[in-house]
């Protein structure tokens, strides 16, 4: 099973670059940029990574992101993630970034996207990892701030495949960003949104009907609404599920209670992702391993998860076929 997980060509479709900032790199960047951290050591920082809910995590995650200042910092962050992908047999990535987390601190949009996109280009050229970038709006901020961010992205449209929606879900329904997403679609962006992580199934309906998303990020609370489940299945709507994130943030009390295989067996297009690997205990392989350890996963299910990750990606059909053929031969 372990060898198969590694060998399967996999795509990662739900990964926050700021959430791949390992404590070691955080300390290195803090020193490089003369920033003092609220923690004395890597070990002390890691000990703080205990979360009762999404908000407790986000508070620490935004604090950590403050060490990212220069184009080189964003390059190093992205490059470190791509090296992990190479080790783990991840052949394609669609990471997201939160521009507002940085522009609100005075870092230029150009600095952020410059470093990220240069690393992604090197990832393709030097590691053979293809990618598409997603720009996420922070839903706890205003519609106006999201519109300004969309405006700032105009000169870099060629570098961004889709817009997304993340941060504190409760009390910030997708409908708050209906007009922003309509404008993004008009400009040629695809759309995705976090929904049904902590928030109700109703937010998944809204993401589908009002934001016209191509994928739902998380979506695990869809099982509470049978009509929604029927729609997700008939529309082959992908859900980018993140097992370690869900247990770390107490969406599920234990991995043995996770509903990913239940959804997979019902025909929902779910796949495995790591969300914020530096904070939740591991990258893509660790997520697969946690599932195997606590759920009765078969080889067929494992292959289907990898297959779904390729099919649900935004890569060209020819590329998809190439990876799917390899999966079918394993
Ligand atoms: N930002 C980073 N990780 C997130 C998550 N799991 N949910 C919402 N916003 C996030
Ligand atoms: Zn996420």
């Amino acid at each position: 099973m372990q060898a198969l997980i590694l060998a399967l060509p996999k795509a990662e479709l739900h990964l926050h670059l700021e959430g791949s900032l390992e404590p070691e790199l955080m300390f290195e960047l803090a020193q490089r940029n003369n920033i003092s951290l609220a923690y004395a050591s890597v070990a002390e920082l890691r000990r703080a990574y205990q979360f009762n809910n999404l908000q407790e995590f986000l508070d620490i995650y935004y604090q950590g992101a403050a060490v990212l200042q220069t184009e080189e910092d964003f390059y190093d962050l992205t490059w470190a993630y791509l090296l992990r992908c190479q080790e783990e047999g991840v052949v394609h990535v669609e990471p997201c970034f939160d521009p507002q987390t940085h522009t609100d601190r005075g870092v230029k949009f150009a600095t952020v996207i410059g470093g990220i996109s240069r690393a992604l280009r090197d990832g393709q050229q030097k590691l053979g990892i293809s990618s598409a970038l997603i720009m996420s709006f922070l839903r706890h901020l205003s519609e106006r701030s999201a519109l300004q961010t969309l405006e700032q992205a105009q000169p870099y449209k060629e570098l961004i495949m889709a817009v997304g929606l993340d941060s504190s879900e409760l009390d910030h329904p997708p409908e708050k960003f209906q007009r922003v997403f309509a404008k993004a679609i008009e400009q040629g962006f695809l759309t995705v949104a976090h929904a049904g992580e902590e928030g109700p199934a109703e937010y998944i309906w809204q993401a589908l009907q009002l934001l016209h998303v191509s994928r739902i990020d998380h979506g695990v609370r869809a099982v509470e609404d049978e009509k929604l489940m029927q729609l997700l299945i008939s529309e082959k709507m992908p859900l980018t599920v993140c097992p370690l994130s869900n247990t770390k943030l107490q969406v599920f009390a234990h991995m043995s209670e996770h509903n990913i295989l239940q959804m997979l067996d019902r025909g929902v297009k779910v796949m495995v992702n790591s969300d914020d690997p530096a904070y939740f205990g591991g990258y893509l392989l660790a997520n697969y391993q946690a599932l195997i350890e606590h759920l009765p996963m078969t080889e067929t299910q494992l292959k289907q998860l990898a297959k779904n990750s390729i099919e649900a990606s935004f890569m060209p059909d020819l590329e998809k076929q190439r990876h799917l053929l390899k999966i079918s031969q394993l």
Side-chain angles (χ1 to χ4, degrees):
M1 219 49 163
Q2 308 290 333
L4 179 61
I5 304 173
L6 182 62
L8 284 166
K10 300 168 289 294
E12 177 146 71
L13 310 180
H14 181 168
L15 178 286
H16 302 261
L17 284 169
E18 295 89 346
S20 70
L21 177 57
E22 291 289 343
E24 288 79 4
L25 183 57
M26 195 188 294
F27 271 84
E28 194 183 317
L29 297 185
Q31 195 172 30
R32 197 198 272 177
N33 295 323
N34 283 317
I35 292 171
S36 59
L37 291 170
Y39 302 89
S41 66
V42 164
E44 193 185 317
L45 179 57
R46 277 195 204 281
R47 273 197 295 278
Y49 292 177
Q50 310 280 345
F51 315 112
N52 292 303
N53 52 48
L54 175 59
Q55 193 58 51
E56 285 187 10
F57 155 67
L58 290 171
D59 292 342
I60 285 198
Y61 159 89
Y62 293 130
Q63 230 182 320
V67 301
L68 297 159
Q69 300 274 342
T70 66
E71 208 239 29
E72 188 187 4
D73 299 342
F74 287 94
Y75 181 93
D76 291 350
L77 172 74
T78 309
W79 185 247
Y81 166 61
L82 290 167
L83 288 178
R84 289 299 294 250
C85 289
Q86 188 192 32
E87 281 171 26
E88 300 198 350
V90 179
V91 296
H92 175 81
V93 294
E94 296 185 359
C96 65
F97 71 112
D98 297 330
Q100 290 151 299
T101 300
H102 314 297
T103 52
D104 282 5
R105 305 182 277 119
V107 178
K108 292 209 162 32
F109 191 99
T111 302
V112 180
I113 196 151
I116 292 172
S117 61
R118 189 160 59 84
L120 291 177
R121 202 172 57 232
D122 282 354
Q124 174 72 71
Q125 287 173 359
K126 297 179 183 168
L127 307 176
I129 299 172
S130 55
S131 57
L133 184 59
I134 301 172
M135 174 176 86
S136 289
F137 302 114
L138 297 179
R139 69 203 302 160
H140 69 275
L141 300 180
S142 65
E143 178 193 41
R144 202 174 102 96
S145 172
L147 282 169
Q148 279 170 350
T149 303
L150 185 60
E151 201 55 43
Q152 288 170 331
Q154 292 309 305
Y156 309 99
K157 266 166 74 172
E158 298 312 310
L159 301 174
I160 301 169
M161 175 72 79
V163 300
L165 190 62
D166 63 3
S167 191
S168 323
E169 187 180 12
L170 295 170
D171 299 326
H172 299 287
E175 65 184 342
K176 178 175 164 186
F177 296 94
Q178 188 174 354
R179 283 182 294 205
V180 182
F181 273 59
K183 207 162 185 182
I185 290 167
E186 236 175 64
Q187 295 171 354
F189 294 105
L190 295 170
T191 64
V192 298
H194 283 54
E197 177 186 16
E198 277 190 347
E202 163 61 19
Y203 287 11
I204 302 176
W205 281 110
Q206 285 188 17
L208 295 169
Q209 295 175 334
L210 305 181
L211 307 187
H212 307 288
V213 294
S214 300
R215 298 192 297 250
I216 295 285
D217 290 321
H218 293 293
V220 289
R221 288 194 60 191
V223 295
E224 295 167 23
D225 182 335
E226 182 51 31
K227 204 164 146 224
L228 175 60
M229 285 292 282
Q230 293 298 335
L231 181 76
L232 296 176
I233 295 163
S234 67
E235 295 292 313
K236 301 184 171 58
M237 177 56 60
L239 304 188
T240 64
V241 176
C242 309
L244 284 174
S245 165
N246 291 154
T247 48
K248 270 285 188 180
L249 301 184
Q250 318 292 338
V251 172
F252 296 96
H254 194 266
M255 195 61 83
S256 58
E257 292 167 22
H258 204 289
N259 62 13
I260 186 169
L261 293 188
Q262 181 194 333
M263 290 201 283
L264 184 72
D265 289 347
R266 288 207 55 194
V268 182
K269 208 175 194 60
V270 289
M271 88 297 298
V272 181
N273 301 271
S274 67
D275 206 7
D276 303 284
Y279 291 89
F280 299 151
Y283 290 75
L284 199 58
L285 286 192
N287 274 272
Y288 273 103
Q289 267 147 9
L291 290 177
I292 286 172
E293 195 176 325
H294 297 285
L295 294 172
M297 171 115 69
T298 65
E299 275 197 13
T300 307
Q301 287 170 323
L302 185 58
K303 285 183 185 168
Q304 189 63 48
L305 288 168
K307 211 173 141 199
N308 287 352
S309 77
I310 301 292
E311 284 175 351
S313 75
F314 297 138
M315 70 177 110
D317 274 345
L318 214 60
E319 284 297 290
K320 288 187 187 180
Q321 293 315 321
R322 188 166 66 83
H323 296 305
L324 291 172
L325 178 66
K326 179 148 185 228
I327 294 176
S328 72
Q329 290 166 338
L330 284 168

